[in-house]
């Protein structure tokens, strides 16, 4: 473990995480709090929910500015879906996985047993809290540097039209004069703490596509994406 001048210690694992994140904390207590889920919190060990609130806003500001600067000809209608794609919980969770945040996330026993280290919601929330910790520790420019480091390729690759697949598929169906697509759960596998859902997306004309994911929402999005690709290819 490493001791800082304020007497707070970071474990070797948390020091390694801070290195992967790309920020050296002058106040390591902020990082510890950001990595403490409510299930592991207590009076003497504050959890990360307030930091999550702040981190969401810091991320939004930095991403908004980056998108605004990257494409000066984009309309608000083009920027908004790109923004939503980059700040949504699933994207935050993906970034958290890239830097192995789950390995240092402090969880209560129930969340640990239910696979909390792999859950999008917990990882996404903790990632936002970590960004708030960086902001409080080093200011906006420090937070901007961390965000751009880990979101850079995502910003560069974000689709010109980044609407989520379910919205795009619904709009496609409406353009054909058809009712909205339907979604049905075809199968559910795996243990209760780590289920795997198979969802089928269907259109009124009988076309359908299926996909699997660890949450219903993610499986629905993946099925919609597959079906949208199918109908657009068959135009």
């Amino acid at each position: 473990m490493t001791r800082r001048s304020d007497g707070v210690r970071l474990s070797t694992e948390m020091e390694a995480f801070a290195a992967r994140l790309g920020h050296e904390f002058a106040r390591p207590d902020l990082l510890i709090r950001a990595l403490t889920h409510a299930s592991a919190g207590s009076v003497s060990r504050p959890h990360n929910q307030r930091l999550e609130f702040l981190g969401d806003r810091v991320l939004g500001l930095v991403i908004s500015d980056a998108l605004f600067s990257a494409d000066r000809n984009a309309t608000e209608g083009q920027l908004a879906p790109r923004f939503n794609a980059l700040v949504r919980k699933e994207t935050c969770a993906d970034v958290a996985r890239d830097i192995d945040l789950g390995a240092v996330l402090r969880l209560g026993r129930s969340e640990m047993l239910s696979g909390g280290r792999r859950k999008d919601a917990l990882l996404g929330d903790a990632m936002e809290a970590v960004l708030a910790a960086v902001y409080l520790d080093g200011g906006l420019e420090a937070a901007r540097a961390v965000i751009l480091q880990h979101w850079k390729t995502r910003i560069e690759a974000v689709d010109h039209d980044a609407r989520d697949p379910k919205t795009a598929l619904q709009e496609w169906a409406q353009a054909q004069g058809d009712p909205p697509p339907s979604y049905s759960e075809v199968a559910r596998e795996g243990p209760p703490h780590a289920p795997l859902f198979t969802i089928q997306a269907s259109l009124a004309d009988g076309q359908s596509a299926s996909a699997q994911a660890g949450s219903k929402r993610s499986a629905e999005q993946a099925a919609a994406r597959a079906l949208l690709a199918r109908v657009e290819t068959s135009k």
Side-chain angles (χ1 to χ4, degrees):
M1 292 188 176
T2 301
R3 181 189 293 273
R4 299 295 176 86
S5 59
D6 57 6
V8 176
R9 296 180 178 221
L10 283 181
S11 67
T12 301
E13 292 78 12
M14 283 195 183
E15 286 279 0
F17 171 76
R20 294 194 297 274
L21 180 67
H23 180 76
E24 183 175 358
F25 282 85
R27 291 184 53 196
D29 59 298
L30 287 168
L31 178 60
I32 294 170
R33 179 173 181 175
L35 293 171
T36 302
H37 184 257
S39 63
S42 65
V43 174
S44 60
R45 179 190 282 184
H47 57 71
N48 63 10
Q49 285 183 339
R50 280 175 53 83
L51 289 177
E52 172 200 338
F53 168 83
L54 178 59
D56 176 65
R57 276 69 186 172
V58 172
L59 175 62
L61 174 60
V62 172
I63 294 297
S64 296
D65 182 63
L67 289 174
F68 188 83
S69 300
D71 188 350
R72 298 187 179 277
N73 296 316
T75 65
E76 188 277 339
Q78 292 171 321
L79 291 173
R82 299 177 197 176
F83 172 84
N84 291 334
L86 291 167
V87 302
R88 62 191 175 201
K89 199 71 69 178
E90 291 85 354
T91 303
C92 291
D94 285 342
V95 173
R97 291 189 181 93
D98 287 348
I99 55 178
D100 200 14
L101 185 153
V104 290
L105 187 58
R106 290 178 160 191
L107 298 172
R109 178 176 172 78
S110 61
E111 282 291 355
M112 198 177 302
L113 293 176
S114 67
R117 296 187 191 281
R118 300 188 299 274
K119 293 179 180 177
D120 277 2
L122 270 65
L123 290 173
D125 289 348
M127 189 68 236
E128 291 173 345
V130 166
L131 296 178
V134 174
Y135 169 75
L136 292 173
D137 188 68
L140 181 58
E141 291 312 308
R144 188 192 308 275
V146 167
I147 292 167
L148 294 182
Q149 175 185 344
H150 297 291
W151 265 262
K152 182 176 184 292
T153 57
R154 291 171 171 83
I155 293 171
E156 293 172 348
V158 70
D159 293 337
H160 179 71
D161 180 1
R163 293 169 299 173
D164 70 88
K166 288 183 67 176
T167 299
L169 182 61
Q170 179 169 326
E171 291 179 355
W172 185 91
Q174 290 174 338
Q176 314 308 308
D178 295 334
S182 61
Y183 297 87
S184 57
E185 183 180 315
V186 176
R188 183 186 303 193
E189 307 167 26
H193 67 274
L196 184 64
F197 297 93
T198 301
I199 299 292
Q200 179 175 285
S202 303
L203 293 169
D205 64 3
Q207 296 187 82
S208 65
S210 299
Q212 288 185 325
S215 71
K216 283 187 177 181
R217 183 180 186 281
S218 295
E220 287 177 353
Q221 295 282 12
R225 184 181 298 109
L227 183 50
L228 186 63
R230 181 174 300 173
V231 297
E232 290 185 335
T233 301
S234 64
K235 283 182 180 178

